Amino acid sequence: MLKQMEGSRAVAEAVALCRPEVICAYPISPQTHIVEALGEFVKDGSLAPCEFINVESEFAAMSVAIGSSAAGARTYTATASQGLLFMAEAVYNASGLGLPIVMTVANRAIGAPINIWNDHTDALSQRDSGWLQIFAETNQEALDLHIQGFRLAEELSLPIMVCMDGFILTHAYERVDMPTQEQVDAYLPKYEPRQVLDPAEPVSIGAMVGPEAFMEVRYLAHAKQMEALKLIPAYAAEFKSVFGRDSGGLVHTYKADDAETMVVAMGSVLGTIKDTVDEMRAAGHKIGVLGITLFRPFPIAQVRAALQGAQRVVVLEKSLAVGLGGILATNVRMALSALPIDVYTVVAGIGGRPITMRSLHGLFRRAEQDDIDAVTFLDLNRAVVDKQLDRERAKRRSGPAAEAMLRDVGVVAAKLA
Amino acid sequence: MSFQPVKFYQTGTFTVGNRLLPPEERSVQAQAKRYNSINSGHRACQGCGEALGARYAIDAAMEAVDGQLICANATGCLEVFSTPYPETSWQVPWIHSLFGNTAAVATGIAAALKVKKQQGEPRNIRVVAQGGDGGTTDIGFGCLSGMFERNDDVLYICYDNGGYMNTGIQRSSATPPAARTATTMAVGAEPGNVFGQGKFVPAIAMAHEIPYVATATVADLRDLEAKVRRAMEIRGARYIHILVPCPLGWGTASNETIRIARLAKETGMFPVFEAEHGEVKSVLAIRHPLPVEEYLKPQKRYAHLFGKTPQVEVIARLQELADRNIRKYGLLDGGER
Ligand SMILES: Cc1ncc(C[n+]2csc(CCOP(=O)(O)OP(=O)(O)O)c2C)c(N)n1
Ligand code: SF4
Ligand SMILES: [Mg+2]
């Protein structure tokens, strides 16, 4: 059924349709609306039987999820940013134990400086945690990916992060097609755990594993993620047959045929990129787009196939690997190894800085001339940085940097528009 | 009253005599059909108080719930010595997740069980969480307090050996004053652990006003069993804090574990009591009051107090702490205040 609603609400309703049995959460913007809605569904009895637990931290949220999943319950939680880092030890533990928890990450920057706005550094910080990671481009896709996520996680006995851009998606009101309970029930079978804490068949879960088997146990996790590369397209196809629309999958190309310049990105910014590319195509530029939906496992073969005809690749990412450049770009480069293709890293939109079509037009045109740095910071105000560097050269006790730079920038909200 | 303090010591010795009790009150461990929840073959040190305490506690819990039990376990000696695979000692469904999250993992298990029950699961499966003092009073304290505060249906058992034993005997917030550990060495102006620090988590548990809080030692194993049984009769958050001597960390002979535990109780260094909803309901009275030296002397972790010049002032301060426990909990008169 078509409905106009907030992205968070749409995700909450979709999660409820998946009949979760235990939900635990700790509030952090921009995840709050999702778990508030689910809490309401549990409290008013429309989502039952289900336990909703208000925990005392994200570390506890993931730990409760570990316990309930190990006891055989379909389990959901959501977080973002600092919350994801606060639970990090348990994030690795959940995947190490092979527990198919579904978690929404309402992507948000990581501090310091504290910042509530969108970028991808939170989810990407957990890229090696053993979780599947999938990025939604629209609210419809966010909703759909949660339904696919439960299916996928439970089939593989691996947890999954469904990542959606904080505020840009979570707080945007858009039209979505909300599936019916019958459709979801037809698509998502009952959860049959591979391992469960059951007095009738006692098992020990989480025992110490030494050098004699550790490598094999970890390789198994890798092998399962490789398996996901096959399973995801199959589940997306099945999803289409039940729900009548394309959602998810590994990667998506846009106007990629004959493209000399390919732009790679994840999440909601793909919309702005496609609009820009439409205008550039109309003006005769040979430029196309590769949207990466699945980040873990990284679809190396599909990325390579999609990009190998290009002369250059511009990876536009909402993350920064300090001291290196890009995270997504590094992964893309691996997919293109030994191919004579220039890969540019463009760090854009971190901490919620708007990525405008005007900036993208300039960036892409310069990239076509190979006139951008290998690591480019889109719309970086270099003068502010230089001023701070000067200050630090001039005076040993130059004081806290972020606060001084903020003062230099001045009242800012109006300037960003 | 779920135990019988008079009959318990009727022989005039400290022998825990099953034969003095009617059969239905005899120790779970005395029964041939005991559960052996932690089976033999684990790798604890000889005389490990934690292994002993856990064996009695979990078997008693199993007995109380007809074997319908799931255990969550924090990282620490108990976890490590019981599970080097494929030699797990656990005959119960058992999960180890992390060092600091065991109470929350148990909350999750309890939540799942509640939902399964609503879905028609016929069994009444219960949850016990367990950890060492470090995993409980320090790194796991946030999760523990959260579980208490929500009154989740979990019995949490803390095995208190007064330090991080598994990593080589470092100080925890349950390490007693003056005790030597690897991070509170017996050197400097104030050798051993400093005074005025640390916390007594049973009292903090009581401040949460949860239905049941108890302390116990491995010297009074029937008392421990009775408390576990009592705890399993109750729904909601419950906490049992068991003093478990650690021969390796305390520098005691492995055949002294039970005697040392008894001395902790008899000197007042460790108060043994039961509380409901934040109120003390009963205490295990001191039978033969003893000065704290009796407890301290056999332990190498206090050896620096008994050198060529005995540290009488430090010993007096420890005696003060014991006296305060005796007053506070009414340990000499069985709680009559
Ligand atoms: C997050 C984290 N920090 C530190 C450790 C290392 N560690 C493992 S067991 C342990 C000590 C356990 O002490 P306690 O909980 O008192 O149990 P005991 O071994 O004394 O029975 C420590 C510090 C860990 N496993 N995880
Ligand atoms: S170090 Fe102490 S607690 Fe650990 S196994 Fe040995 S005696 Fe038990
Ligand atoms: Mg300890």
Side-chain angles (χ1 to χ4, degrees):
Chain A
M1 193 170 75
L2 293 177
K3 288 182 178 177
Q4 182 79 11
M5 65 168 84
E6 198 196 33
S8 295
R9 181 84 188 183
V11 165
E13 288 192 12
V15 168
L17 288 172
C18 295
R19 302 183 188 277
E21 295 166 305
V22 174
I23 300 172
C24 42
Y26 189 81
I28 182 166
S29 297
Q31 150 266 34
T32 44
H33 293 182
I34 302 172
V35 292
E36 285 164 8
L38 283 163
E40 188 185 334
F41 301 157
V42 173
K43 199 143 199 278
D44 72 15
S46 57
L47 174 51
C50 181
E51 281 290 295
F52 186 94
I53 300 167
N54 284 305
V55 286
E56 74 284 353
S57 75
E58 287 87 358
F59 179 63
M62 186 46 61
S63 303
V64 168
I66 287 167
S68 67
S69 187
R74 182 171 285 167
T75 302
Y76 172 82
T77 186
T79 192
S81 181
Q82 315 299 130
L84 184 60
L85 292 198
F86 201 78
M87 64 168 65
E89 191 193 12
V91 167
Y92 275 71
N93 191 253
S95 58
L97 293 176
L99 299 171
I101 298 158
V102 175
M103 173 161 68
T104 309
V105 179
N107 297 111
R108 166 182 153 180
I110 288 172
I114 189 166
N115 174 303
I116 64 166
W117 307 107
N118 166 243
D119 70 30
H120 291 166
T121 42
D122 55 359
L124 296 193
S125 76
Q126 301 301 302
R127 64 189 176 276
D128 303 326
S129 65
W131 285 57
L132 305 167
Q133 293 187 319
I134 196 156
F135 282 77
E137 184 179 332
T138 62
N139 281 345
Q140 182 69 59
E141 196 166 46
L143 177 173
D144 294 343
L145 289 180
H146 282 86
I147 300 168
Q148 293 186 27
F150 279 105
R151 176 89 187 270
L152 197 63
E154 290 170 9
E155 174 58 31
L156 291 167
S157 285
L158 282 183
I160 184 166
M161 286 181 210
V162 181
C163 304
M164 64 190 293
D165 285 318
F167 295 111
I168 298 171
L169 292 180
T170 54
H171 287 53
Y173 278 73
E174 274 186 351
R175 195 184 70 172
V176 293
D177 189 353
M178 187 60 64
T180 62
Q181 187 67 65
E182 293 67 38
Q183 283 175 311
V184 176
D185 287 346
Y187 180 77
L188 182 61
K190 196 175 166 303
Y191 172 36
E192 293 291 349
R194 274 194 188 278
Q195 51 180 351
V196 63
L197 295 164
D198 181 356
E201 230 178 296
V203 288
S204 296
I205 300 177
M208 180 164 265
V209 173
E212 69 282 5
F214 190 83
M215 172 86 93
E216 286 68 24
V217 175
R218 296 311 297 148
Y219 181 80
L220 179 69
H222 181 67
K224 281 190 171 188
Q225 285 225 352
M226 294 301 106
E227 215 177 291
L229 289 171
K230 293 195 209 89
L231 221 50
I232 289 168
Y235 282 179
E238 201 183 313
F239 186 87
K240 187 173 185 181
S241 75
V242 176
F243 300 88
R245 63 178 168 270
D246 273 318
S247 257
L250 308 175
V251 300
H252 296 280
T253 53
Y254 182 75
K255 301 199 171 169
D257 299 339
D258 82 343
E260 291 168 1
T261 303
M262 282 291 286
V263 182
V264 180
M266 299 196 294
S268 63
V269 73
L270 282 162
T272 319
I273 293 172
K274 287 179 195 170
D275 286 350
T276 312
V277 163
D278 283 345
E279 292 181 4
M280 288 181 69
R281 277 281 177 182
H285 295 264
K286 291 191 169 177
I287 186 165
V289 186
L290 175 68
I292 294 184
T293 309
L294 185 71
F295 183 70
R296 279 294 179 271
F298 195 69
I300 286 193
Q302 290 74 13
V303 170
R304 187 180 177 93
L307 298 177
Q308 62 187 359
Q311 288 172 17
R312 70 188 65 75
V313 170
V314 178
V315 181
L316 187 118
E317 58 176 286
K318 292 183 173 182
S319 50
L320 168 60
V322 181
L324 175 68
I327 299 171
L328 179 59
T330 305
N331 285 257
V332 169
R333 248 184 225 105
M334 172 129 180
L336 297 180
S337 62
L339 291 178
I341 301 173
D342 286 326
V343 179
Y344 297 103
T345 305
V346 178
V347 176
I350 58 173
R353 176 157 303 183
I355 299 174
T356 64
M357 283 180 67
R358 193 171 43 163
S359 295
L360 291 182
H361 269 295
L363 173 79
F364 295 160
R365 278 161 214 264
R366 273 180 283 125
E368 283 180 322
Q369 308 299 317
D370 292 307
D371 186 25
I372 60 173
D373 292 337
V375 180
T376 295
F377 290 80
L378 187 69
D379 294 337
L380 172 73
N381 187 344
R382 190 63 219 212
V384 171
V385 181
D386 288 340
K387 196 163 176 191
Q388 174 63 17
L389 290 173
D390 284 345
R391 218 173 354 243
E392 294 187 8
R393 267 188 292 270
K395 195 173 170 197
R396 176 67 213 167
R397 187 177 285 195
S398 51
E403 288 65 17
M405 294 169 85
L406 205 51
R407 216 162 27 240
D408 292 340
V409 170
V411 180
V412 79
K415 285 189 197 162
L416 288 179
Chain B
M1 277 288 230
S2 49
F3 56 89
Q4 297 183 307
V6 179
K7 275 192 169 175
F8 203 68
Y9 294 109
Q10 208 164 338
T11 56
T13 73
F14 288 120
T15 316
V16 179
N18 261 304
R19 62 203 161 80
L20 295 175
L21 291 167
E24 66 279 8
E25 283 178 32
R26 287 184 188 173
S27 155
V28 173
Q29 282 303 316
Q31 300 166 16
K33 66 172 183 54
R34 67 189 180 211
Y35 280 91
N36 290 316
S37 310
I38 310 173
N39 224 341
S40 57
H42 59 68
R43 302 174 189 189
C45 306
Q46 272 189 10
C48 172
E50 188 161 287
L52 180 66
R55 180 181 177 84
Y56 270 72
I58 302 303
D59 269 4
M62 285 285 275
E63 166 93 359
V65 299
D66 280 333
Q68 301 302 318
L69 192 73
I70 295 174
C71 289
N73 209 129
T75 314
C77 270
L78 178 60
E79 168 260 331
V80 171
F81 72 60
S82 64
T83 65
Y85 239 71
E87 298 163 23
T88 184
S89 288
W90 297 97
Q91 306 300 305
V92 290
W94 179 94
I95 184 169
H96 160 247
S97 171
L98 295 169
F99 188 21
N101 70 350
T102 311
V105 170
T107 290
I109 296 168
L113 292 174
K114 190 169 170 192
V115 172
K116 298 290 170 199
K117 192 79 197 160
Q118 285 161 8
Q119 290 167 344
E121 162 66 53
R123 297 169 295 175
N124 286 314
I125 305 171
R126 307 290 299 281
V127 194
V128 169
Q130 47 184 353
D133 50 292
T136 305
T137 73
D138 288 336
I139 200 167
F141 189 65
C143 287
L144 183 73
S145 176
M147 184 276 278
F148 285 166
E149 164 276 310
R150 290 184 302 268
N151 200 23
D152 295 330
D153 190 19
V154 172
L155 167 60
Y156 190 104
I157 300 175
C158 170
Y159 302 102
D160 176 5
N161 51 23
Y164 295 115
M165 299 321 182
N166 188 55
T167 35
I169 313 155
Q170 295 85 13
R171 174 202 183 271
S172 79
S173 64
T175 301
R180 179 203 68 197
T181 69
T183 51
T184 55
M185 299 304 277
V187 295
E190 205 178 337
N193 194 29
V194 296
F195 281 80
Q197 296 184 348
K199 55 182 149 175
F200 187 55
V201 167
I204 304 175
M206 284 169 63
H208 289 73
E209 302 196 354
I210 57 174
Y212 187 75
V213 173
T215 63
T217 77
V218 289
D220 298 282
L221 288 161
R222 196 195 319 286
D223 173 62
L224 168 59
E225 286 187 345
K227 284 169 174 168
V228 171
R229 201 177 313 121
R230 173 83 187 108
M232 295 315 287
E233 285 166 9
I234 300 169
R235 291 280 181 168
R238 291 143 287 144
Y239 181 70
I240 300 182
H241 188 109
I242 310 172
L243 186 76
V244 291
C246 162
L248 188 76
W250 295 13
T252 48
S254 54
N255 61 353
E256 289 262 86
T257 297
I258 290 175
R259 192 176 77 89
I260 299 287
R262 180 167 300 119
L263 288 169
K265 179 223 152 199
E266 292 296 294
T267 55
M269 287 293 281
F270 186 82
V272 181
F273 63 90
E274 255 182 327
E276 288 177 20
H277 298 287
E279 277 178 55
V280 175
K281 291 289 180 192
S282 72
V283 306
L284 216 52
I286 291 173
R287 304 286 299 173
H288 295 266
L290 291 166
V292 291
E293 283 97 325
E294 298 290 322
Y295 171 64
L296 304 174
K297 247 186 192 156
Q299 304 183 45
K300 287 208 184 73
R301 62 175 173 161
Y302 295 112
H304 55 281
L305 304 182
F306 301 97
K308 276 194 195 106
T309 41
Q311 302 289 305
V312 283
E313 276 173 32
V314 179
I315 296 167
R317 288 182 81 180
L318 289 165
Q319 185 64 56
E320 265 172 45
L321 293 180
D323 291 344
R324 198 191 302 161
N325 278 338
I326 291 169
R327 281 197 306 277
K328 193 165 167 188
Y329 294 96
L331 298 178
L332 282 178
D333 46 21
E336 284 161 34
R337 275 164 293 173

